Amino acid sequence: MSKRLSILVFLLAILIAAPFKGYAEGSGSHAEEEDLDVKEIIFEHLGDGYGWEVPFSHAYRIPLPVIVKAEDGKWFCFSSKDLTEVVEVEKHGKMEHEAEPVIKTIEKDGKSYSFVIAHISNHKDKLVQIFPMESSEEADVMKKVADAKAQGPVKGGWPVIDGYVCVDGTYYREYRPFDISITKNVAALFISTIIVLIIVMSLVRFYRRNGLKAPRKGMGFMELLVSFIYEGTIKPTLGGKAKKFAPYLLTCFFFILIMNLLGLIVIFPGGANLTGNIAVTLVLAVMTFIMTNVFGKKHYWKEIFWPDVPIWLKCPLPIMQFIEIFGMFTKPAALCVRLFANMMGGHMIVITLTLLIFIFASFGAVVAGATTVVSILFSLFMLALDVLVSFIQAYVFTTLSTIFIGMAVEEHEHEGAEKHEGTAEGEADAQAAAKEHELLSKEANAIDLK
């Protein structure tokens, strides 16, 4: 134990000494503090990209395929490494490596096609096709540039002109092509899918070989998660229909969990903020929406279009119908925003705590060292908390999806009565269905409030 503690103290001492070294070399000067754009750094780490950053370097990237459709309809596929080059720039008396965008030109059918990752443009950090301007068009653009500069200082030295992109001080007409490139987030989706398949198929293979023998270690933990979700959430809520919807719901749980955990890893294959991307959480919520409404029973649709409320609330003005239809869309919207906001917020807090080291670097060695210790400790605490939140958010999404599906596919007392033709068994089923409906409603409201 003492050896491990010594290693941790040594590593912490190195981290504390890092700002001192940067301060001695001038890295903690006021000039650098002014250059530190916290907002840009945060969104750069949380955003997508055409390459995957090499660990501990922002200049070098793992290339990914770029697939775009040009303005005239021709398709192009090339490596993202052709869109950037690593150059040495001097910053505060030191030479540093940076990745600069370069124009990728392709000759096809006797015509030149040029592409670049836009920085000074309305399509920032997106791939655009560029075209040289004619003299009259160039004069008009330069007049807009002069007017923008006359209004005050422009960040980066060049203003953003609508419909144009600036590359190395030269403006080009831009066109946003149809883009299906394998970006960092897309590649991370593939990696997450592969990991989920490996985990699930490994568990299936174990049971095929060993029967009902209990697995251990990693396999035992996965069996525990499957049993916890299926026996504790899906089966009690869906009853006899649990086996029908369990594959989708368990897939949701493990897929969200793996994406959450990979997002907490700073090096490849982690680092992609998938569940902090609202497009990903929206697709997951839409899938639950489809499952709920495609498999909804007659009673579910009856409660939407003709709910059991006083007649004046639904006719002649369809007040309750409007509320129920609106509720069909707010439920998946809540699933989408809840997962997105929680995971995005966790990443932003960790990055902000880390940036405090650089923000306070100009206040002196003592303040910088103390800030480093506090930032590291709080960052480690937040990362540990994010691991817990990763499990909780995957569980909450799966539980709410189960409840929404259960409320749509439940058997109502009228259906039970028809099935048993008014027998005592039918009456008992009707009462059980009513109690189940009430329980599901209360459970959904309680989880939604949390």
Side-chain angles (χ1 to χ4, degrees):
M1 179 64 68
S2 59
K3 184 177 179 181
R4 294 180 180 176
L5 183 60
S6 300
I7 294 174
L8 289 175
V9 172
F10 176 72
L11 292 175
L12 184 60
I14 293 176
L15 292 171
I16 295 173
F20 297 164
K21 181 174 181 291
Y23 178 81
E25 294 176 355
S27 61
S29 63
H30 288 283
E32 183 174 356
E33 182 188 358
E34 292 174 359
D35 291 340
L36 187 65
D37 191 332
V38 176
K39 179 181 176 181
E40 184 176 349
I41 292 173
I42 290 175
F43 283 98
E44 179 184 354
H45 281 77
L46 298 180
D48 203 357
Y50 290 94
W52 208 309
E53 295 88 351
V54 173
F56 312 109
S57 172
H58 293 291
Y60 298 94
R61 287 171 167 76
I62 300 172
L64 297 170
V66 177
I67 308 171
V68 292
K69 182 181 181 182
E71 188 179 39
D72 61 359
K74 289 187 172 60
W75 286 92
F76 295 89
C77 181
F78 52 89
S79 173
S80 63
K81 71 177 182 180
D82 299 331
L83 296 171
T84 58
E85 66 176 2
V86 179
V87 297
E88 281 192 343
V89 296
E90 185 177 353
K91 283 191 173 182
H92 312 294
K94 297 188 303 181
M95 299 304 295
E96 298 181 3
H97 290 89
E98 283 193 357
E100 295 289 343
V102 295
I103 299 175
K104 169 67 174 178
T105 302
I106 303 173
E107 298 289 338
K108 188 173 184 179
D109 298 333
K111 185 178 178 181
S112 294
Y113 298 83
S114 297
F115 302 92
V116 70
I117 296 178
H119 282 334
I120 304 176
S121 165
N122 287 326
H123 301 293
K124 181 175 171 57
D125 297 329
K126 300 296 183 181
L127 189 72
V128 296
Q129 184 180 0
I130 59 175
F131 306 87
M133 296 185 296
E134 298 180 356
S135 301
S136 59
E137 186 180 13
E138 185 176 3
D140 183 54
V141 170
M142 295 313 297
K143 183 179 182 302
K144 293 180 181 179
V145 171
D147 293 340
K149 288 184 176 181
Q151 295 176 2
V154 178
K155 183 179 178 180
W158 298 97
V160 174
I161 305 298
D162 189 30
Y164 298 89
V165 58
C166 182
V167 183
D168 295 331
T170 303
Y171 280 87
Y172 300 87
R173 182 173 64 84
E174 68 176 358
Y175 168 74
R176 181 79 171 95
F178 183 68
D179 192 347
I180 56 171
S181 303
I182 308 299
T183 60
K184 182 174 71 172
N185 282 350
V186 176
L189 281 172
F190 291 153
I191 293 172
S192 301
T193 303
I194 292 171
I195 293 175
V196 171
L197 286 174
I198 291 173
I199 291 173
V200 173
M201 297 311 296
S202 297
L203 196 59
V204 171
R205 191 181 304 111
F206 175 86
Y207 281 114
R208 283 179 177 174
R209 292 178 178 178
N210 301 281
L212 298 178
K213 182 180 177 181
R216 295 183 179 183
K217 297 181 180 179
M219 287 294 176
F221 180 68
M222 297 310 301
E223 184 197 32
L224 174 66
L225 289 178
V226 172
S227 178
F228 174 71
I229 298 299
Y230 183 75
E231 299 292 340
T233 301
I234 299 176
K235 194 172 181 180
T237 304
L238 297 178
K241 300 181 178 65
K243 291 184 179 180
K244 180 178 181 180
F245 297 99
Y248 166 71
L249 296 169
L250 286 170
T251 301
C252 279
F253 174 79
F254 283 106
F255 191 49
I256 294 172
L257 177 61
I258 294 300
M259 287 192 295
N260 289 346
L261 295 178
L262 283 179
L264 301 179
I265 303 173
V266 298
I267 60 176
F268 182 85
N273 184 31
L274 287 177
T275 45
N277 186 323
I278 198 167
V280 175
T281 59
L282 177 62
V283 171
L284 293 171
V286 167
M287 293 303 298
T288 295
F289 174 79
I290 293 173
M291 295 287 288
T292 301
N293 291 282
V294 167
F295 294 97
K297 297 293 185 179
K298 289 186 295 183
H299 175 68
Y300 170 74
W301 292 108
K302 183 259 180 188
E303 286 298 317
I304 291 177
F305 293 107
W306 198 255
D308 293 329
V309 295
I311 191 68
W312 59 270
L313 288 175
K314 54 188 175 181
C315 183
L317 293 178
I319 300 174
M320 288 304 301
Q321 288 91 329
F322 174 79
I323 294 174
E324 292 291 340
I325 293 174
F326 184 71
M328 289 173 56
F329 297 95
T330 56
K331 290 176 182 177
L335 288 178
C336 168
V337 175
R338 177 185 286 105
L339 180 58
F340 160 74
N342 279 278
M343 300 314 299
M344 170 70 84
H347 285 276
M348 291 183 69
I349 291 173
V350 172
I351 296 173
T352 303
L353 289 172
T354 305
L355 288 175
L356 289 178
I357 300 172
F358 304 97
I359 294 173
F360 286 94
S362 62
F363 287 87
V366 176
V367 176
T371 304
T372 300
V373 175
V374 174
S375 296
I376 291 173
L377 291 178
F378 272 100
S379 296
L380 291 175
F381 171 75
M382 285 303 304
L383 283 173
L385 187 62
D386 276 344
V387 173
L388 178 62
V389 171
S390 298
F391 282 88
I392 292 174
Q393 290 303 316
Y395 173 73
V396 168
F397 188 98
T398 306
T399 301
L400 287 175
S401 296
T402 305
I403 292 173
F404 295 155
I405 293 173
M407 294 174 67
V409 302
E410 66 175 337
E411 296 287 349
H412 195 249
E413 58 265 25
H414 298 303
E415 297 177 9
E418 290 176 2
K419 186 180 295 184
H420 297 285
E421 298 180 353
T423 62
E425 182 181 359
E427 185 177 352
D429 287 344
Q431 294 176 355
K435 290 181 180 179
E436 183 181 0
H437 176 73
E438 183 180 358
L439 180 62
L440 288 174
S441 300
K442 291 180 179 179
E443 189 175 355
N445 292 331
I447 293 179
D448 197 48
L449 288 174
K450 292 180 182 178

